[in-house]
Amino acid sequence: MTPYQRLVLASRPRGEPTADNFRLETVEVPALQDGQLLVRNHYLSLDPYMRGRMSESKSYAASQALDETMIGGTAGEVVASRHPDFAVGDAVVGNGGWTEMTLSDGTGLRKVDTSRIPLSAYLGAVGMPGMTAWYGLNRILELKAGQTLCVSAASGAVGSAVGQLAKLQGVRAVGIAGGPEKCAYVVDELGFDACVDYKAGNLFADLKAAAPDGIDGIFENVAGEVFDAALAQTNAFARVALCGMIAGYNGEDIPLRSVRALLKNRITLRGFIVTEHLDCWPQGLAELGTLVADSKLKYRESVAEGLPAAPEAFIGLLKGRNFGKQLVKLI
Amino acid sequence: MTPYQRLVLASRPRGEPTADNFRLETVEVPALQDGQLLVRNHYLSLDPYMRGRMSESKSYAASQALDETMIGGTAGEVVASRHPDFAVGDAVVGNGGWTEMTLSDGTGLRKVDTSRIPLSAYLGAVGMPGMTAWYGLNRILELKAGQTLCVSAASGAVGSAVGQLAKLQGVRAVGIAGGPEKCAYVVDELGFDACVDYKAGNLFADLKAAAPDGIDGIFENVAGEVFDAALAQTNAFARVALCGMIAGYNGEDIPLRSVRALLKNRITLRGFIVTEHLDCWPQGLAELGTLVADSKLKYRESVAEGLPAAPEAFIGLLKGRNFGKQLVKLI
């Protein structure tokens, strides 16, 4: 087979990542040993958590090693196999990394059915982002019909699923997103009750107007001012699923000003990492898959073309330039 | 009977309360109706939560009304009764307010046994502060033996009980307090494993040294920098009982800088108000009473003499000038 390309971490970012932090390499296709298989990756998933792995600072997960293939979720097809559980042609999802080909011993690799669900959806609504939404909503927020949810980064892969799943439970869903186009999509296409444009300059007042009965649950992806605005509207005994803080992935401090609300409203807040709750995945993925197949859970993808486009797409993701799930199409 | 004195809220504070916010009044002793009793208050409890009630801002409880007797916990003796459940001479604890005498219909009034427990302790270690410690520790933090607790305002009525109860469970207790005298008391008298003086200028480094295995539970009474320092030392899956924020009772914003730790360490944080968990009080008060009677739970009191001294004692409490439970002796 012809050589393939991969992207390695060349250097750790200081502040915002740049294209220089990555290096494109050409690699020979390895020979298979018994128990191994080779996957041709069709899609690479780009996710905000990757920014944390690029730093050396202590986090919940090990740092990405320098000069190694960048970690990342992938969906692809088995093109060679000496593994008893995988055959050539199987559609698979796993953590192949930023690379066109992945040699695997099957660990963490999952065969998926693409007859009713597109392969790429297994990296989004029926994958880690979807499960993140499902877990935070069903295991942390546990809202009742009629209550109000606020979710930031509402047009993103996680946020869009959170709001739609909440609506299916009879919860009022209020999104926060950047710009009128994303907000219109969140309301008109995804069916949220309202969406506040944090770039419009009236975040606190607009959110108050969008959540006239107050906020009972916050699904927080951004932190910073967006989180403060939501906390300022919380009702007593509100709950917060703290999922991400895109606003602070470059290492800067993002002070939270509404600390008082945490006490005053007797709020329960939980930070979580969905990969630590794998016991929930079978149930969650089954539900998400059914909803996607039945067109009850919609999603949007921003697709960059070709592996060399991955660094710029990733940098754009951290700045909110994507619209929906950010993917890189590799084939 | 001779007239008695009471303190009413004369005006709402702007920033720090001043003596001018209170007004001393002389009141005639009322005649008793059937079903009423009269309590001569021996002790008035001063507590940080009162600062919140003095403001008009929306809080978890109604504001203190202007020109009405300031709310507050009291311990005293029944001096006249036309109520079937109370007899002259009964020792009682209730919410009599900042006043020498309280006319009551028995609501919220509890007879207490002073044979093994001093009357004043029912306003501290065997009262609301003790229950606050008990609830936060046993219902929110739920630490295991060998884990590390960090508690701020460690020499105060709540903090001192938190650390001692934790020690009885085999938990390592690290306090934070202001000044060498309070810190020495916390370690030498109360038996905490360590106490960090936040006024010494090395809060972050000193706390790191005092909690070499990291922090598994934070009982937070202060907020601000003290809370940030504790969060910076948290281990994965640490828990936070958010009980108070003395640092912000005057209404100023106290930004929290360690937001990242909440996510990185998958922290669960809960703000709570102990009076919303009255179902726990019988069990908690029984345990606390036994511990005090057996001298296994120690406490210290700062006692101001006479009702007119209450405003200055309260102002001092908010500034950390008290040492242990702040009381006013009324008789």
Side-chain angles (χ1 to χ4, degrees):
Chain A
M1 281 189 262
T2 52
Y4 67 93
Q5 291 190 304
R6 67 172 190 172
L7 277 158
V8 301
L9 182 65
S11 59
R12 301 197 184 281
R14 296 180 184 179
E16 294 182 9
T18 63
D20 291 346
N21 296 132
F22 305 92
R23 186 175 65 244
L24 195 66
E25 294 185 348
T26 300
V27 187
E28 294 296 325
V29 176
L32 286 193
Q33 309 288 321
D34 272 345
Q36 292 184 328
L37 68 153
L38 195 65
V39 180
R40 180 75 176 89
N41 297 318
H42 291 208
Y43 292 99
L44 164 65
S45 172
L46 296 179
D47 301 276
Y49 77 85
M50 294 165 169
R51 175 62 189 87
R53 304 289 181 91
M54 293 173 76
S55 296
E56 210 155 18
S57 64
K58 182 187 161 194
S59 181
Y60 47 81
S63 289
Q64 163 74 43
L66 288 171
D67 302 320
E68 298 282 344
T69 306
M70 273 291 296
I71 51 147
T74 46
E77 183 185 353
V78 177
V79 290
S81 178
R82 291 178 66 181
H83 190 294
D85 299 339
F86 295 90
V88 170
D90 283 348
V92 291
V93 175
N95 287 299
W98 296 29
T99 174
E100 294 172 339
M101 290 272 202
T102 304
L103 183 71
S104 168
D105 64 2
T107 303
L109 207 61
R110 188 163 58 94
K111 285 194 273 197
V112 294
D113 176 4
T114 56
S115 65
R116 293 190 67 210
I117 299 170
L119 181 61
S120 63
Y122 288 103
L123 297 175
V126 194
M128 192 267 285
M131 271 311 300
T132 301
W134 188 95
Y135 184 87
L137 190 69
N138 292 313
R139 293 291 185 267
I140 297 179
L141 296 183
E142 300 180 285
L143 295 166
K144 298 187 187 77
Q147 289 190 310
T148 298
L149 163 84
C150 177
V151 53
S152 54
S155 70
V158 174
S160 62
V162 172
Q164 290 179 87
L165 294 174
K167 286 297 294 175
L168 291 168
Q169 297 174 359
V171 168
R172 179 177 167 82
V174 176
I176 302 176
E181 193 194 2
K182 285 182 178 176
C183 286
Y185 166 73
V186 165
V187 173
D188 299 339
E189 298 293 317
L190 302 181
F192 284 43
D193 296 281
C195 188
V196 171
D197 177 4
Y198 71 83
K199 293 180 175 172
N202 290 301
L203 177 56
F204 279 70
D206 289 350
L207 188 56
K208 186 172 186 175
D213 298 328
I215 292 170
D216 303 294
I218 299 174
F219 194 108
E220 188 52 54
N221 292 310
V222 174
E225 190 187 18
V226 162
F227 188 23
D228 271 328
L231 279 173
Q233 301 306 324
T234 45
N235 293 324
F237 306 110
R239 302 172 74 90
V240 179
L242 181 59
C243 170
M245 37 191 301
I246 295 178
Y249 273 122
N250 291 323
E252 65 275 30
D253 256 344
I254 309 183
L256 180 69
R257 298 194 180 280
S258 305
V259 186
R260 188 181 310 277
L262 296 173
L263 176 61
K264 191 181 74 173
N265 291 334
R266 293 85 90 203
I267 287 174
T268 298
L269 175 152
R270 251 187 73 196
F272 75 106
I273 307 294
V274 73
T275 47
E276 290 179 335
H277 305 282
L278 294 177
D279 55 308
C280 296
W281 285 51
Q283 180 191 348
L285 289 178
E287 291 180 21
L288 295 163
T290 300
L291 291 172
V292 166
D294 294 347
S295 301
K296 289 181 181 165
L297 179 60
K298 298 177 186 173
Y299 58 91
R300 182 161 173 157
E301 296 170 342
S302 283
V303 183
E305 291 290 332
L307 188 63
E312 284 304 332
F314 178 63
I315 291 163
L317 170 72
L318 296 177
K319 293 182 174 172
R321 287 196 203 123
N322 62 307
F323 194 157
K325 172 67 198 165
Q326 181 65 58
L327 298 171
V328 182
K329 194 165 188 321
L330 302 176
I331 195 170
Chain B
M1 283 190 260
T2 52
Y4 66 94
Q5 290 191 303
R6 67 172 189 171
L7 277 158
V8 302
L9 183 65
S11 59
R12 301 199 184 280
R14 296 180 185 180
E16 295 183 8
T18 63
D20 291 345
N21 296 131
F22 305 92
R23 185 175 67 244
L24 195 65
E25 294 184 348
T26 300
V27 186
E28 294 297 323
V29 176
L32 286 193
Q33 310 287 321
D34 272 345
Q36 292 184 327
L37 68 154
L38 194 67
V39 181
R40 180 74 176 89
N41 297 319
H42 291 208
Y43 292 98
L44 164 65
S45 173
L46 296 180
D47 301 275
Y49 77 84
M50 294 165 170
R51 174 62 188 86
R53 305 289 182 91
M54 292 173 77
S55 295
E56 211 155 16
S57 63
K58 181 188 161 195
S59 180
Y60 46 81
S63 288
Q64 163 74 42
L66 287 171
D67 302 321
E68 297 282 344
T69 305
M70 273 290 296
I71 51 145
T74 47
E77 184 186 351
V78 177
V79 291
S81 178
R82 291 177 66 180
H83 190 294
D85 299 339
F86 295 91
V88 170
D90 283 348
V92 290
V93 176
N95 288 299
W98 296 28
T99 173
E100 292 172 338
M101 291 272 202
T102 304
L103 182 72
S104 169
D105 63 2
T107 303
L109 207 62
R110 188 163 58 94
K111 284 193 274 195
V112 294
D113 176 5
T114 56
S115 65
R116 293 189 68 211
I117 298 169
L119 181 62
S120 64
Y122 287 103
L123 297 176
V126 194
M128 191 268 284
M131 270 312 299
T132 301
W134 188 96
Y135 184 86
L137 189 69
N138 292 313
R139 292 290 184 267
I140 297 178
L141 297 182
E142 300 181 287
L143 295 166
K144 299 187 186 77
Q147 289 190 311
T148 298
L149 163 84
C150 178
V151 52
S152 54
S155 71
V158 174
S160 62
V162 172
Q164 291 179 85
L165 293 174
K167 287 297 293 175
L168 291 168
Q169 297 175 358
V171 168
R172 180 177 166 83
V174 176
I176 301 176
E181 192 193 2
K182 285 181 178 175
C183 285
Y185 166 72
V186 165
V187 173
D188 300 340
E189 298 292 319
L190 301 181
F192 283 45
D193 296 281
C195 189
V196 170
D197 177 4
Y198 72 83
K199 293 180 175 172
N202 291 300
L203 176 57
F204 279 70
D206 289 350
L207 188 57
K208 187 172 186 176
D213 298 328
I215 292 170
D216 303 294
I218 298 173
F219 194 108
E220 188 52 53
N221 292 309
V222 174
E225 191 187 18
V226 162
F227 188 24
D228 271 328
L231 280 172
Q233 301 306 323
T234 44
N235 293 323
F237 305 110
R239 302 172 74 89
V240 178
L242 181 60
C243 170
M245 37 190 303
I246 296 179
Y249 275 123
N250 291 323
E252 65 275 31
D253 256 345
I254 309 183
L256 179 69
R257 299 195 179 281
S258 305
V259 185
R260 189 180 309 278
L262 296 173
L263 177 61
K264 192 180 74 173
N265 291 333
R266 293 83 90 204
I267 287 174
T268 299
L269 174 153
R270 251 188 72 196
F272 75 105
I273 307 295
V274 73
T275 47
E276 290 179 335
H277 305 282
L278 294 177
D279 55 308
C280 295
W281 284 53
Q283 180 191 348
L285 290 177
E287 291 181 21
L288 294 163
T290 300
L291 291 170
V292 166
D294 294 347
S295 301
K296 289 180 180 163
L297 179 60
K298 298 176 186 174
Y299 59 90
R300 181 160 172 159
E301 296 169 342
S302 284
V303 183
E305 292 290 332
L307 187 64
E312 282 305 332
F314 177 64
I315 291 163
L317 169 72
L318 295 177
K319 293 182 173 171
R321 288 197 201 122
N322 63 308
F323 193 157
K325 173 64 200 168
Q326 181 67 56
L327 297 171
V328 182
K329 195 167 187 321
L330 302 176
I331 195 169

